[in-house]
Amino acid sequence: LIAFRALDRVLEAHRSRARWRTRLVQNNALRWARTTLLGHMTGWQPAVHAVGPWRPIELIEQAPGLRLRTADVHASLDGNDGLVSVDIEVDGLDDRPMATLTVGNTRGRLQWANPHRLSGTLRLPGIEKWWPHTHGTPALHRVQLRIGDVEVDLGRTGFRTIALEPGDGFGLVVNGQRLFARGACWSAADLVSLAGDRARLAPWLQLARDAHMNMVRVGGTMIYESDDFFDLCDELGILVWHDF
């Protein structure tokens, strides 16, 4: 059962008066609703409101055998070495078969904590780092999991450090190098459908890369972007500043 509650009823409810009012939207009561402001900022885009499901809905059947419940993959740098730590939860196994993690050409064994959870850390000496495209190559490395005879593709990951520049100002340091961040605020590839697939996203993000942007900001008044969005930014060497 999927229910769509009328936003008008939320906006008509009596609330306390705001201490300050924004001119971005016509109805300041929108601050009480957990919804995107896309389509409500009429000075910025046409009044097209988000209604209904805006991401694919999948019905997942529980087939017999191994089922991957969660896969937490974390990549970091230790000097010039890459570290990949994984925490995996599975269902559908009666025993604890050998499990390995492969990143690029490096492979290591994972350890079972219990019949449903395994974890481990893999060190990759002298790994090629990920850089914003303005400063180098956005190198990505394939991550693969093998549990018994079953192989699972965990996508790709990159290795980089990012930190705030010391001092009273505000600046970013990537892989020990100061970064001049230049880019723009991101709204949506398609205001009507709010589509987040590669086909819709790629032309816009490629234009941003070709314009020498190395960062885009996803504002808190927009939408949560899709996995394809972040994958494309990784591939193109674009950092993402994401508001809560």
Side-chain angles (χ1 to χ4, degrees):
L1 178 66
I2 303 178
F4 303 103
R5 308 298 182 192
L7 186 59
D8 289 343
R9 295 182 183 179
V10 176
L11 301 182
E12 291 170 357
H14 181 72
R15 306 277 188 175
S16 60
R17 183 176 178 84
R19 283 190 277 179
W20 58 273
R21 299 175 65 82
T22 178
R23 295 185 180 180
L24 271 177
V25 295
Q26 291 180 326
N27 193 330
N28 271 246
L30 279 165
R31 73 184 188 279
W32 297 104
R34 187 176 175 85
T35 185
T36 177
L37 294 188
L38 283 173
H40 295 281
M41 297 179 285
T42 52
W44 192 359
Q45 71 266 132
V48 180
H49 296 170
V51 177
W54 54 281
R55 286 287 185 265
I57 297 174
E58 300 177 357
L59 179 62
I60 301 174
E61 296 183 11
Q62 297 293 342
L66 174 68
R67 295 187 298 272
L68 190 67
R69 293 180 58 190
T70 62
D72 182 18
V73 181
H74 180 72
S76 61
L77 276 172
D78 181 16
N80 290 320
D81 293 352
L83 297 176
V84 179
S85 300
V86 297
D87 193 352
I88 309 294
E89 290 189 24
V90 298
D91 275 336
L93 291 177
D94 297 327
D95 55 2
R96 304 184 188 186
M98 186 175 75
T100 60
L101 180 71
T102 303
V103 182
N105 297 320
T106 304
R107 176 179 297 177
R109 291 192 62 173
L110 301 178
Q111 301 298 320
W112 290 94
N114 57 55
H116 302 287
R117 186 172 182 176
L118 65 158
S119 61
T121 299
L122 189 63
R123 178 177 289 270
L124 298 95
I127 194 68
E128 184 181 6
K129 300 175 183 177
W130 183 96
W131 288 92
H133 74 95
T134 50
H135 292 66
T137 301
L140 296 172
H141 307 267
R142 180 68 63 186
V143 182
Q144 293 178 302
L145 171 68
R146 185 179 183 91
I147 302 176
D149 296 329
V150 179
E151 291 188 358
V152 181
D153 186 355
L154 297 181
R156 294 186 293 175
T157 191
F159 298 88
R160 60 103 181 96
T161 61
I162 188 166
L164 292 179
E165 187 177 9
D168 297 331
F170 184 89
L172 295 176
V173 178
V174 176
N175 296 335
Q177 184 170 334
R178 294 178 64 192
L179 176 79
F180 182 80
R182 50 186 181 269
C185 291
W186 174 268
S187 54
D190 187 328
L191 180 62
V192 176
S193 67
L194 299 180
D197 58 279
R198 292 180 69 95
R200 303 287 184 91
L201 294 166
W204 294 105
L205 290 172
Q206 287 169 355
L207 283 173
R209 189 269 318 273
D210 294 344
H212 304 291
M213 296 184 187
N214 55 19
M215 178 179 286
V216 292
R217 176 196 171 205
V218 179
T221 56
M222 303 301 168
I223 57 176
Y224 296 111
E225 271 301 343
S226 65
D227 290 342
D228 282 344
F229 174 85
F230 294 102
D231 288 344
L232 281 165
C233 288
D234 286 346
E235 295 169 17
L236 296 171
I238 299 175
L239 292 164
V240 179
W241 181 296
H242 204 305
D243 292 4
F244 284 107

